Amino acid sequence: MAETTRHLTLPITGMTCANCVSTVERNLKKLDGVQAVSVNLATERASLEILPDRVTSPQLLERVRRAGYDLALGEARFGIGRLSDDSDARRLERALASLEGVVESSVSFALQSARIRFIPTVIAPTELRAAIEHAGFEVVQSGEADEDPEAAARRRESARQLHLFRVALALTIPLFGLSMARDLGILPMALAHSPALGWLLFALATPVQFYVGRQYYVGAWKALRNRSANMDVLIAMGTSAAYGYSIPVLLGWLPGHLYFETAAVILTLIVLGKYLEARAKGRTSEAIKKLLALRPRLARVVRRGQEMEVPAEEVVVGDQVIVRPGERIPVDGRVVDGRSSIDESMLTGESMPVEKTTGDIVLGGTLNRLGSLRFEATRVGRETALAQIIRLVEDAQASKAPIQKLADRVSEVFVPGVILVAAITFVAWLAFGPPPAQDSAFTRALVNMIAVLVIACPCAMGLATPTAVMVGTGRGAERGILFKSGEALERAGRVDTIVLDKTGTITRGQPKVTDLIAWRQDLPEAEALRLAASAEKASEHPLGEAIVAMAGERGVALVAPQEFQAVSGHGIEAQVAGRRLVLGSPRLLAERGISLDGAAADVERLQGEAKSVVLLGVDGSLAAAFGIADTVKEGSREAIQSLKQLGLRPVMITGDNWATAEAIGRAIGLDKARGEVRAEVLPGDKAAEVRRLQGQGRVVAMVGDGINDAPALAQADLGIALGSGTDVAIAAAPVTLMGSDLRGVPEAIMLSRGTLRTIKQNLFWAFVYNILLIPAAALGALSPILAAGAMAFSSVFVVTNSLRLRGLRTR
């Protein structure tokens, strides 16, 4: 029997470039029980498939730390009740330590408290609280921090880089100024050649080299210890060469120029770049922050007949929850009392508020605009639609798009390659360079070698794809479009044919009365509708439900039928308000002896419009006709036109007859003659139709409801499911539209194309930058200081270019 794998996400800290990614991946894969690993530099997360019985959270933490990195851990403190003695404390400590995601637990009997360090992406404080209570103890005081550990780690890193930059700037400005003044002959001759000046430059440069630059030495040591090389190795080597060469010159052991200012300026510029990059990377996750901000902190519940406020995470299934106007709904549920208008735009992307009344589903995080609601909680915690959406977006952002594979392969050999090029540069200039105009051949060779080391930027290559995917998936989530992976986001941009299911996708999926024709003057429309709807009130047929729905929309009061009999496949017979009714197909009325004279033209017209015709006979004569059809959704025609403007070929597929299919096709701008309408296709044959198009060399996306169309969605190159929100976790397709508006399909395609375009721009910049500037540095055409500036800002360019996707217009 195969062991069950489990998906885990680890928040990694300390990564600086693509080589760090491969180092973390390589080290985690060494653990027995880790089946697969994918590390993302932009999100700073590792996605793992593990065998829970073979690997523990402390083992994962230890392996990450051995690689030279760390996890952003959360810490929770609880006051504990019912601890009888120290053995209780040890028992609770063991119970907590056994939880997946807990890396350290400490329970004190003397202090009656528990301190737990945990991986926030694996387990939440609410789950820790539940585990304590399940073990038979009571949480009497909760002191867990409200701050997201990952966000706190990013903030600390940004603040650290800013502090280091300020220190470096304060020392580097006078250092650089004195050096330039000396070189330009501005300083008095006595001072320019005084040993005191050299020692002053040394005093200013040394804190920059070993305090500001310490992080690069530490990172380089950790990388080399793991038999790899990263950006830190290049920076440490380059700045150490400049600083180290200046020491024997200062001591008079070697003739030449002091390069203290070169090392200091390089470090200052790189630290500035890292600070700006950290800030920019923080903005790439704003979509997730907006979704997280939708979760209200408190919920108003009714328990034991009393209305009380509790933390939203403490709401349990079955609780009665009250929401007042202007408040956000804390969890998913079903309305039991009240009527209101709910703004679901942040989840579905649809701006119009949705009316909710008894029996309707409400989703956590949505905004109650009007009226008060009482609902029963049906999904709480990690099961709510909002939590599922956040998890899907995080998983998509952590995944790797196929286009990233090239950058990953290059990154694996990039830093060792750069070190080799730098060594060749040094030897070549030393052995074959023309006689220098000033300084020595050794000095010139050293300077060019340093320029090669500091111009190389593996960071830009590592960030090119994941930052764009991160912003693109986040932008999609804001619009109600969920890409479940970077691969889905990339593939959507390559689609050239869109196959659309008709029922529930293009149309509403619910029959609606579109025409009501009354022929008898003694039975006007309103009375004919009242009689027909009263008779159909007891029916469960979709056409009968459409007639009853029309009466409800018009506020027609119904009465109970005295008699009711269904005629299978044809209609019903009933007695309502003392009148004998026959309601159904023309054939049924003819069989009951009711003349259809005068109705033929209207019936033929309605049937020609692909509408089902229900005739009403009252007391033996024809009274009215109802034209019923599955109507086209608002926005479907605009969606089809948008798809065509994008150069895509839309094809509607349906099991309905050709007359109905052609009528719907005409309504939305599709033409049977161009092969854009396919009718009388059985549900099991939809996948075959997709295969037929694929056989023509087309890249096909299938759009359906995600359940009935599952085989076709799976067969297509890209499946796009229209979801209601609560089913988002089980949708069969790699792309899910939270709303029911078909205009989300061209939006998804445009967003994918925009993301792909940005990825290609980023990769072009990252590769061309290195391809052009590394040779330039090797040929002596680039000074180390300029090289450091270019290197520092290459990553910032890539991240800020990706951030432009946040403003991409998709409608």
Side-chain angles (χ1 to χ4, degrees):
M1 182 176 174
E3 293 182 77
T4 304
T5 61
R6 176 169 162 77
H7 178 80
L8 285 186
T9 301
L10 302 180
I12 310 291
T13 61
M15 294 191 297
T16 58
C17 68
N19 296 76
C20 301
V21 168
S22 60
T23 300
V24 174
E25 287 182 348
R26 188 170 61 252
N27 276 272
L28 285 172
K29 284 177 182 174
K30 291 178 182 177
L31 271 177
D32 179 41
V34 175
Q35 303 290 90
V37 184
S38 176
V39 178
N40 188 300
L41 179 61
T43 60
E44 298 177 292
R45 285 185 168 192
S47 296
L48 296 84
E49 295 294 330
I50 69 164
L51 298 172
D53 294 337
R54 295 199 198 175
V55 64
T56 65
S57 297
Q59 287 175 320
L60 292 170
L61 174 62
E62 191 273 334
R63 177 60 66 171
V64 170
R65 285 178 171 169
R66 183 186 295 181
Y69 306 91
D70 209 339
L71 298 183
L73 298 176
E75 185 173 304
R77 296 176 184 271
F78 298 100
I80 309 295
R82 301 180 190 158
L83 281 175
S84 303
D85 52 30
D86 195 59
S87 63
D88 272 357
R90 300 290 73 77
R91 179 166 64 86
L92 177 57
E93 196 172 272
R94 287 192 298 272
L96 290 170
S98 68
L99 295 174
E100 190 172 57
V102 172
V103 297
E104 183 186 333
S105 66
S106 174
V107 180
S108 169
F109 170 65
L111 298 176
Q112 296 282 294
S113 68
R115 173 181 169 273
I116 308 156
R117 300 189 75 209
F118 61 95
I119 304 171
T121 51
V122 178
I123 193 168
T126 51
E127 293 170 287
L128 298 174
R129 173 195 293 267
I132 293 170
E133 292 173 347
H134 180 72
F137 303 99
E138 182 183 2
V139 177
V140 294
Q141 181 184 359
S142 175
E144 63 264 30
D146 296 327
E147 191 173 31
D148 173 15
E150 289 181 89
R154 282 193 291 269
R155 259 193 301 277
R156 285 194 300 270
E157 177 60 17
S158 182
R160 187 173 74 93
Q161 295 296 343
L162 179 59
H163 166 70
L164 292 173
F165 171 67
R166 286 171 172 165
V167 171
L169 193 65
L171 296 168
T172 301
I173 286 177
L175 171 61
F176 185 74
L178 287 170
S179 297
M180 288 300 100
R182 178 199 59 192
D183 294 344
L184 295 173
I186 298 174
L187 290 178
M189 188 68 68
L191 180 59
H193 292 86
S194 169
L197 177 61
W199 286 104
L200 176 59
L201 298 180
F202 167 80
L204 292 168
T206 299
V208 178
Q209 187 68 34
F210 297 109
Y211 176 69
V212 176
R214 179 180 180 275
Q215 59 184 323
Y216 302 111
Y217 284 109
V218 172
W221 162 246
K222 290 177 178 178
L224 294 172
R225 189 181 64 188
N226 283 284
R227 298 179 182 178
S228 66
N230 61 7
M231 184 196 78
D232 294 335
V233 173
L234 298 179
I235 295 170
M237 287 180 66
T239 58
S240 295
Y243 180 87
Y245 170 73
S246 301
I247 297 294
V249 173
L250 176 64
L251 296 172
W253 298 348
L254 287 176
H257 189 83
L258 295 175
Y259 283 96
F260 288 124
E261 83 284 355
T262 300
V265 171
I266 288 172
L267 286 170
T268 302
L269 289 173
I270 290 172
V271 169
L272 173 60
K274 297 303 290 182
Y275 167 66
L276 294 175
E277 179 189 324
R279 285 194 58 185
K281 279 167 66 178
R283 292 168 60 199
T284 61
S285 60
E286 284 188 4
I288 291 289
K289 292 175 186 173
K290 287 180 181 178
L291 290 172
L292 289 169
L294 294 179
R295 299 188 297 195
R297 296 177 57 81
L298 298 174
R300 192 178 294 104
V301 300
V302 178
R303 292 177 180 169
R304 298 181 293 277
Q306 297 291 318
E307 187 177 314
M308 63 181 70
E309 281 194 344
V310 300
E313 60 268 19
E314 293 182 14
V315 177
V316 297
V317 173
D319 269 344
Q320 297 278 309
V321 185
I322 296 173
V323 184
R324 292 171 183 160
E327 295 179 343
R328 289 201 178 272
I329 294 169
V331 296
D332 295 358
R334 188 179 299 277
V335 178
V336 295
D337 186 37
R339 188 183 192 92
S340 186
S341 179
I342 305 295
D343 180 358
E344 298 181 343
S345 59
M346 271 303 291
L347 295 187
T348 65
E350 297 179 6
S351 57
M352 293 298 293
V354 182
E355 296 297 320
K356 301 286 184 180
T357 188
T358 303
D360 289 338
I361 296 294
V362 291
L363 302 177
T366 56
L367 182 63
N368 182 28
R369 290 285 188 193
L370 307 169
S372 292
L373 288 177
R374 180 193 288 250
F375 67 90
E376 181 182 334
T378 56
R379 295 177 190 241
V380 299
R382 297 191 179 197
E383 300 305 315
T384 65
L386 177 59
Q388 291 169 10
I389 292 168
I390 291 170
R391 191 157 60 248
L392 281 175
V393 176
E394 287 178 337
D395 288 346
Q397 291 182 340
S399 67
K400 290 186 178 181
I403 199 172
Q404 190 174 341
K405 291 176 182 176
L406 173 63
D408 287 348
R409 285 197 296 269
V410 172
S411 296
E412 287 177 5
V413 297
F414 182 78
V415 175
V418 169
I419 294 172
L420 179 62
V421 171
I424 292 171
T425 299
F426 179 78
V427 173
W429 275 99
L430 195 61
F432 307 110
Q438 55 184 0
D439 289 331
S440 65
F442 181 88
T443 302
R444 182 183 57 187
L446 182 71
V447 168
N448 292 337
M449 181 192 76
I450 293 169
V452 170
L453 289 171
V454 299
I455 191 62
C457 188
C459 296
M461 288 189 294
L463 291 169
T465 300
T467 51
V469 169
M470 194 171 179
V471 179
T473 51
R475 174 67 175 156
E478 290 176 0
R479 301 294 303 157
I481 304 165
L482 297 184
F483 294 94
K484 296 186 180 178
S485 67
E487 183 179 359
L489 181 64
E490 179 181 330
R491 192 178 296 171
R494 306 189 190 282
V495 164
D496 56 31
T497 303
I498 306 285
V499 176
L500 304 113
D501 177 52
K502 177 185 78 70
T503 306
T505 301
I506 292 173
T507 63
R508 297 182 184 278
Q510 295 178 332
K512 183 178 181 180
V513 177
T514 57
D515 300 81
L516 171 54
I517 304 169
W519 288 295
R520 283 172 47 175
Q521 293 200 358
D522 65 323
L523 284 173
E525 280 190 10
E527 181 60 15
L529 177 61
R530 185 179 78 90
L531 293 173
S534 296
E536 292 284 12
K537 189 177 180 182
S539 170
E540 295 180 356
H541 195 280
L543 299 183
E545 290 176 351
I547 294 172
V548 175
M550 186 184 193
E553 290 170 4
R554 295 192 178 184
V556 175
L558 306 183
V559 296
Q562 286 93 31
E563 295 178 15
F564 177 88
Q565 182 180 353
V567 181
S568 180
H570 295 289
I572 63 169
E573 293 180 279
Q575 185 170 330
V576 177
R579 312 193 79 153
R580 176 67 58 183
L581 308 183
V582 179
L583 192 63
S585 66
R587 177 180 170 182
L588 176 64
L589 269 70
E591 288 176 354
R592 297 300 185 265
I594 297 174
S595 172
L596 304 183
D597 291 346
D602 286 319
V603 170
E604 188 175 333
R605 175 181 63 81
L606 292 172
Q607 289 177 335
E609 294 172 356
K611 296 173 182 176
S612 299
V613 179
V614 176
L615 297 179
L616 171 66
V618 179
D619 296 332
S621 66
L622 188 63
F626 296 87
I628 302 174
D630 183 6
T631 56
V632 173
K633 284 182 190 174
E634 181 184 353
S636 289
R637 182 177 180 84
E638 293 92 327
I640 297 299
Q641 297 310 308
S642 295
L643 291 172
K644 289 185 174 182
Q645 288 169 7
L646 290 171
L648 299 165
R649 180 191 178 194
V651 177
M652 182 184 76
I653 191 169
T654 178
D656 283 347
N657 59 62
W658 276 102
T660 300
E662 287 183 64
I664 296 294
R666 282 193 301 273
I668 60 175
L670 295 179
D671 188 354
K672 175 187 174 185
R674 293 198 295 266
E676 295 173 349
V677 177
R678 305 284 169 86
E680 299 178 1
V681 179
L682 296 175
D685 294 336
K686 289 180 180 179
E689 283 292 318
V690 172
R691 271 195 302 273
R692 188 182 64 79
L693 289 166
Q694 290 171 325
Q696 298 172 2
R698 294 190 167 273
V699 182
V700 181
M702 172 71 192
V703 185
D705 62 14
I707 301 171
N708 298 332
D709 302 309
L713 286 166
Q715 174 63 42
D717 297 288
L718 181 74
I720 303 177
L722 270 67
S724 63
T726 53
D727 295 326
V728 76
I730 58 170
V735 180
T736 299
L737 305 184
M738 289 296 298
S740 58
D741 193 334
L742 200 59
R743 284 173 291 194
V745 175
E747 277 197 84
I749 301 297
M750 290 174 68
L751 182 58
S752 172
R753 288 182 177 180
T755 304
L756 265 177
R757 188 167 55 248
T758 300
I759 289 172
K760 289 174 181 175
Q761 290 169 353
N762 288 349
L763 287 173
F764 174 82
W765 164 260
F767 280 114
V768 169
Y769 161 88
N770 284 293
I771 289 168
L772 293 181
L773 295 188
I774 290 176
L779 294 172
L782 204 62
S783 76
I785 289 175
L786 289 177
M791 181 271 199
F793 287 98
S794 60
S795 299
V796 177
F797 169 85
V798 165
V799 178
T800 52
N801 188 49
S802 297
L803 286 171
R804 294 191 307 116
L805 279 169
R806 295 192 308 167
L808 181 71
R809 293 183 63 86
T810 53
R811 277 198 186 179

